[in-house]
Amino acid sequence: MSTPQDEGFAGVGELPPYRSLLVVDMKDYSGSSGREQTSLTQEIPGIMAEAFTRCGLDTVWQRKTFHNTTGDGYAVGFPTEVLPFLLNPYLGSLQRELEDRNRHLPRSRAMIRMRVSVSVGPVTDTGTNLLGDGSGPARVELHRLLDSGPVRHLLAKSDPDSTFVAAVVSSRAYEDAVLSGYADEPSSLYVDAPVQVKTYHGNAYLRVPKPTGGLLTEGFRTPLKTQAESSGGAAAAQGQPAGHSLGTVGSIGNFITHSSGPINTGSGPQTIGDTRYDR
């Protein structure tokens, strides 16, 4: 492929390849002892791999182009075309994998619960998993979404003995995989939510393969406090109520007001290198 040689194009560069991006984070990892954290870090990619195998997608896991630990989680890049599979059936398969593992945990161990973030976009990728592979704004967005209040709230609001997976999906991934029909599941299983983390502002979509507890009775509503914690108090400064349910959406601005409507239970099929991202 030729590129312009005229000096007027000296600052132009080729766009990095698009990749489907997946990262998981183990809830309450920091609450475990230092002695346990090493084994937990080593266990996470194995859990992810087994979930792919469980739903017949072991070949997708083998196609990962870069992968690296975040300490309490694991980030992976895949070819763009596998994006729909990261939503369906993978999220439901990860829930079932954790159900089986948690059933056999010793009583001294806390249940393994995970937040999941899925996105898509251009990132650097040599195909050899070098230090620096996976860099780019799409990767930053992936981790900002993972650390956002709305997805954290899903695990906090649900039954800790039953709901083990809560996912947040970028707008681009949602549009490309869900609205397009390639993920083969209804868009009603996803709930849109505004996200504000540090300097990142965007809109994302929440998905819980097995909602329980308050998620069933109150929907995926995000209270003001959760938003404020993620945005450094911006919500509190505005003094606006916040929340989101699976019913009719109320007024939408930076935050979503309490709303009414039938609750969809959401049932259905459900670092670069060794450097931890600043999330």
Side-chain angles (χ1 to χ4, degrees):
M1 175 180 174
S2 62
T3 56
Q5 299 300 311
D6 188 280
E7 61 182 14
F9 298 100
V12 179
E14 293 184 353
L15 192 68
Y18 269 61
R19 293 289 181 259
S20 295
L21 306 172
L22 171 71
V23 64
V24 305
D25 182 280
M26 183 178 291
K27 179 176 170 55
D28 296 331
Y29 173 93
S30 60
S32 58
S33 68
R35 181 177 182 178
E36 295 174 318
Q37 287 177 0
T38 298
S39 62
L40 289 175
T41 297
Q42 296 170 343
E43 188 176 357
I44 293 171
I47 293 174
M48 297 174 71
E50 285 300 317
F52 275 103
T53 300
R54 174 183 286 270
C55 60
L57 296 179
D58 50 322
T59 55
V60 171
W61 179 253
Q62 293 166 11
R63 293 179 67 189
K64 57 187 180 294
T65 60
F66 63 84
H67 50 98
N68 35 62
T69 184
T70 63
D72 56 357
Y74 207 73
V76 188
F78 296 95
T80 313
E81 59 267 25
V82 308
L83 176 63
F85 299 104
L86 303 185
L87 303 178
N88 182 37
Y90 186 69
L91 293 179
S93 183
L94 182 59
Q95 164 71 28
R96 292 188 292 275
E97 177 66 22
L98 292 180
E99 286 176 347
D100 285 350
R101 286 176 179 260
N102 286 331
R103 192 176 297 121
H104 298 98
L105 281 179
R107 292 184 179 275
S108 59
R109 282 276 306 271
M111 294 286 187
I112 302 173
R113 308 179 77 202
M114 290 183 170
R115 300 193 314 278
V116 181
S117 178
V118 178
S119 189
V120 63
V123 293
T124 58
D125 190 0
T126 63
T128 57
N129 201 39
L130 291 180
L131 181 68
D133 280 352
S135 299
R139 179 70 180 273
V140 174
E141 177 186 51
L142 181 76
H143 288 273
R144 292 292 185 261
L145 294 178
L146 185 72
D147 203 39
S148 66
V151 70
R152 288 179 177 275
H153 178 67
L154 295 177
L155 288 184
K157 194 76 173 180
S158 56
D159 179 3
D161 295 327
S162 300
T163 296
F164 303 124
V165 173
V168 58
V169 182
S170 73
S171 291
R172 184 184 297 176
Y174 172 78
E175 292 167 4
D176 289 352
V178 180
L179 292 186
S180 67
Y182 285 103
D184 194 30
E185 58 182 2
S187 60
S188 58
L189 294 178
Y190 293 79
V191 180
D192 64 309
V195 174
Q196 181 175 337
V197 182
K198 297 184 178 179
T199 59
Y200 174 82
H201 301 261
N203 201 63
Y205 291 81
L206 307 175
R207 176 78 166 94
V208 181
K210 188 175 181 179
T212 58
L215 301 183
L216 293 178
T217 58
E218 301 174 26
F220 291 6
R221 188 162 49 236
T222 306
L224 177 62
K225 180 180 179 182
T226 304
Q227 288 283 7
E229 289 172 347
S230 297
S231 60
Q238 294 189 25
Q240 298 182 31
H244 202 310
S245 75
L246 289 172
T248 304
V249 177
S251 61
I252 300 179
N254 289 332
F255 305 97
I256 297 179
T257 62
H258 291 280
S259 55
S260 60
I263 294 175
N264 184 329
T265 63
S267 59
Q270 317 272 334
T271 138
I272 297 178
D274 292 326
T275 303
R276 180 185 174 90
Y277 262 69
D278 175 20
R279 295 175 295 140

